[in-house]
Amino acid sequence: MIRETNEKDYKEIGEMQFELQKYFSEIDQTRESLPYRNIDDAHCYMQKMIDDAKNMDGKIFVAEKNNSIVGFIQGVIIEHKRGDDKFYDLSHAPSKEGWIGLLYVRPDHRGGGMGQELLGKMKDYFKAERCTSIKLLVLSDNTSAIDFYKRSGFMAHDLEMVMKI
């Protein structure tokens, strides 16, 4: 079942956030991603994720199975109106973007469509809010996530390049 999050979910989401950051730190070839020092760091990050959702017209949804949270997605909305940013206006059309901050499904629940359900719920929310696109950033070393997003209809748009010196 996919539903909007509530305060009772935060502990489990924090644990998943801890797992996710550990994974990022293991696959990031630049070694810029660090694991959290402890679960409190994950809860601190999670609080920022909650605050961003509240302050940026966003949502956090959870996937629940057998009374346990097995995944979550967080998204926010960024609107670019003509006149808000003179330099943006020079090279971009006005837009209302849905941004996915994080999407995570516990490894033992992957492959069963839970990620697609979470993504679908967020997509429905963004559509209802009249967003013109959905965007996200994904670590280039996270090939399984890139494959998932491509299968879901996303396409590469920008590519950030890094040179370690």
Side-chain angles (χ1 to χ4, degrees), residues 137-140 146 156-162:
L137 295 174
V138 61
L139 191 63
S140 61
I146 293 168
H157 180 256
D158 290 327
L159 178 64
E160 181 178 286
M161 304 291 290
V162 175

Side-chain angles (χ1 to χ4, degrees), residues 4-65:
E4 198 167 337
T5 191
N6 61 56
E7 284 190 35
K8 293 184 291 184
D9 303 327
Y10 294 167
K11 183 176 185 283
E12 286 182 87
I13 294 172
E15 292 166 1
M16 287 185 277
Q17 174 59 32
F18 187 86
E19 294 169 18
L20 180 59
Q21 189 61 31
K22 181 179 183 296
Y23 174 70
F24 286 160
S25 72
E26 291 168 352
I27 65 169
D28 182 1
Q29 293 180 31
T30 68
R31 298 293 176 233
E32 292 177 357
S33 299
L34 299 173
Y36 294 130
R37 293 168 298 169
N38 54 50
I39 193 70
D40 291 337
D41 287 353
H43 288 297
C44 183
Y45 189 92
M46 184 193 64
Q47 187 59 55
K48 173 72 168 125
M49 183 177 72
I50 292 164
D51 293 344
D52 284 351
K54 286 180 184 173
N55 297 329
M56 300 173 74
D57 298 320
K59 293 284 184 187
I60 302 172
F61 297 108
V62 294
E64 188 174 43
K65 192 169 185 180

Side-chain angles (χ1 to χ4, degrees), residues 25 68 74-75 113 125 130 137 141 144:
S25 72
S68 183
Q74 181 258 11
Y125 172 70
R130 297 197 161 119
L137 295 174
D141 301 316
S144 60

Side-chain angles (χ1 to χ4, degrees), residues 37-157:
R37 293 168 298 169
N38 54 50
I39 193 70
D40 291 337
D41 287 353
H43 288 297
C44 183
Y45 189 92
M46 184 193 64
Q47 187 59 55
K48 173 72 168 125
M49 183 177 72
I50 292 164
D51 293 344
D52 284 351
K54 286 180 184 173
N55 297 329
M56 300 173 74
D57 298 320
K59 293 284 184 187
I60 302 172
F61 297 108
V62 294
E64 188 174 43
K65 192 169 185 180
N66 300 326
N67 295 319
S68 183
I69 306 300
V70 298
F72 71 93
I73 189 169
Q74 181 258 11
V76 300
I77 297 174
I78 298 174
E79 188 165 7
H80 301 281
K81 296 178 186 173
R82 178 107 18 234
D84 284 351
D85 182 335
K86 177 172 97 172
F87 295 106
Y88 186 90
D89 291 349
L90 292 173
S91 57
H92 294 81
S95 64
K96 190 173 184 181
E97 303 163 347
W99 274 90
I100 294 173
L102 290 172
L103 169 61
Y104 182 76
V105 175
R106 290 192 189 269
D108 56 334
H109 287 85
R110 293 181 187 157
M114 201 71 69
Q116 288 293 340
E117 287 183 51
L118 284 163
L119 189 57
K121 184 74 170 177
M122 189 61 74
K123 181 180 175 183
D124 290 345
Y125 172 70
F126 287 150
K127 280 177 141 180
E129 293 297 313
R130 297 197 161 119
C131 291
T132 54
S133 62
I134 301 174
K135 296 184 176 187
L136 57 86
L137 295 174
V138 61
L139 191 63
S140 61
D141 301 316
N142 195 350
T143 56
S144 60
I146 293 168
D147 291 343
F148 168 81
Y149 289 122
K150 283 182 179 178
R151 287 191 312 273
S152 300
F154 285 81
M155 61 183 142
H157 180 256

